[in-house]
Amino acid sequence: MTVKEAIAARRSIRKFTDEPVSTAQLDALLEAARLAPSSINCQPWRFKVVTEREDVAWLAGMPTKGQRWVASAGAILVCCADVQRFIDDSAANVRFLRDSGILPAEMLSGLEEYLSRAESAQPEVLRWAAAANCSIALTQVMLQAVELGLGTCWIGMYDEAALKERFQLPEAMPITALLAVGHPAETPEPRPRKALADILIE
Ligand SMILES: Cc1cc2nc3c(=O)[nH]c(=O)nc-3n(C[C@H](O)[C@H](O)[C@H](O)COP(=O)(O)O)c2cc1C
């Protein structure tokens, strides 16, 4: 399967069979996330992999604002952003680039400016910046899932406090998204997309 084919074949799947997602499949999905690009290579994504039936059933209610379909998922990836490491690892990587002399001076000053803006940013701004990186990792997971014959659905509606408590997630790591994963039990038609002309700015 080509990347083009995977992109075209992906759908949000909200109905899954009982077949569990295997450890090998989960490993392949996490590997796709691990290889994702990130700003200054900071890799802020952290995953809690939920596969216990009891936990998945719990998620399919109040914690996802009443999304009952979630109960049939084989696994839920809870994607968190390690905001402190987002800053620290970015700083370390900028230092490395500076000390190794790889980058031209003007590019280095741009990176240092980017970093100092990040270091002084409000927590909410940092959360969103880290979340943008996490979204790239999850997108790679969704496409890898297609190649493995798995279905996924992004879950953007959830009760963060409830999830943090249930799974004992660190307070300092905001949850950026959940991803339901499983063996598809439906084959939806493609959902509508805007025409190319509608997404180009003249
Ligand atoms: C950021 C984001 C949040 C989403 N949140 C939800 C959600 O909470 N529940 C849900 O059923 N689908 C959710 N979706 C899936 C979208 O509804 C879906 O991607 C869109 O309708 C297009 O359909 P397709 O993915 O099949 O192409 C979300 C998608 C994204 C990217």
Side-chain angles (χ1 to χ4, degrees):
M1 175 177 267
T2 64
V3 174
K4 186 180 178 186
E5 286 164 346
I7 290 170
R10 189 208 55 78
R11 304 275 180 279
S12 289
I13 299 297
R14 299 183 179 86
K15 202 170 173 197
F16 301 98
T17 70
D18 290 342
E19 187 181 346
V21 181
S22 71
T23 305
Q25 287 169 325
L26 286 171
D27 287 349
L29 297 179
L30 293 169
E31 182 64 2
R34 197 180 69 81
L35 296 180
S38 56
S39 57
I40 324 183
N41 204 15
C42 63
Q43 306 164 60
W45 40 76
R46 303 290 181 271
F47 296 96
K48 169 77 184 171
V49 181
V50 178
T51 52
E52 290 294 328
R53 294 322 308 156
E54 202 181 303
D55 289 329
V56 175
W58 174 82
L59 279 164
M62 170 280 286
T64 53
K65 317 274 181 189
Q67 299 194 63
R68 295 272 161 218
W69 64 267
V70 170
S72 72
I76 305 288
L77 302 187
V78 181
C79 184
C80 302
D82 189 334
V83 175
Q84 192 54 50
R85 291 295 297 270
F86 171 63
I87 295 292
D88 294 347
D89 291 348
S90 299
N93 291 341
V94 168
R95 272 198 301 275
F96 169 76
L97 289 168
R98 185 188 57 208
D99 298 345
S100 61
I102 296 171
L103 293 181
E106 63 269 27
M107 202 179 155
L108 197 58
S109 71
L111 278 179
E112 279 168 348
E113 196 186 312
Y114 170 90
L115 191 61
S116 76
R117 263 204 319 274
E119 281 170 336
S120 58
Q122 296 295 315
E124 201 54 18
V125 173
L126 283 176
R127 177 195 173 109
W128 285 106
N133 289 282
C134 292
S135 294
I136 297 167
L138 276 186
T139 301
Q140 296 207 165
V141 172
M142 290 194 292
L143 294 177
Q144 178 62 76
V146 175
E147 194 199 26
L148 296 172
L150 295 168
T152 58
C153 188
W154 194 294
I155 303 170
M157 277 196 306
Y158 51 84
D159 183 324
E160 179 158 9
L163 264 87
K164 283 220 157 132
E165 191 186 332
R166 173 94 179 187
F167 301 116
Q168 311 249 293
L169 301 172
E171 201 43 56
M173 282 193 207
I175 300 172
T176 66
L178 312 185
L179 194 72
V181 183
H183 294 268
E186 61 173 354
T187 50
E189 291 297 314
R191 275 81 187 208
R193 288 296 191 265
K194 295 182 196 308
L196 179 61
D198 295 333
I199 63 170
L200 288 177
I201 301 168
E202 293 299 326

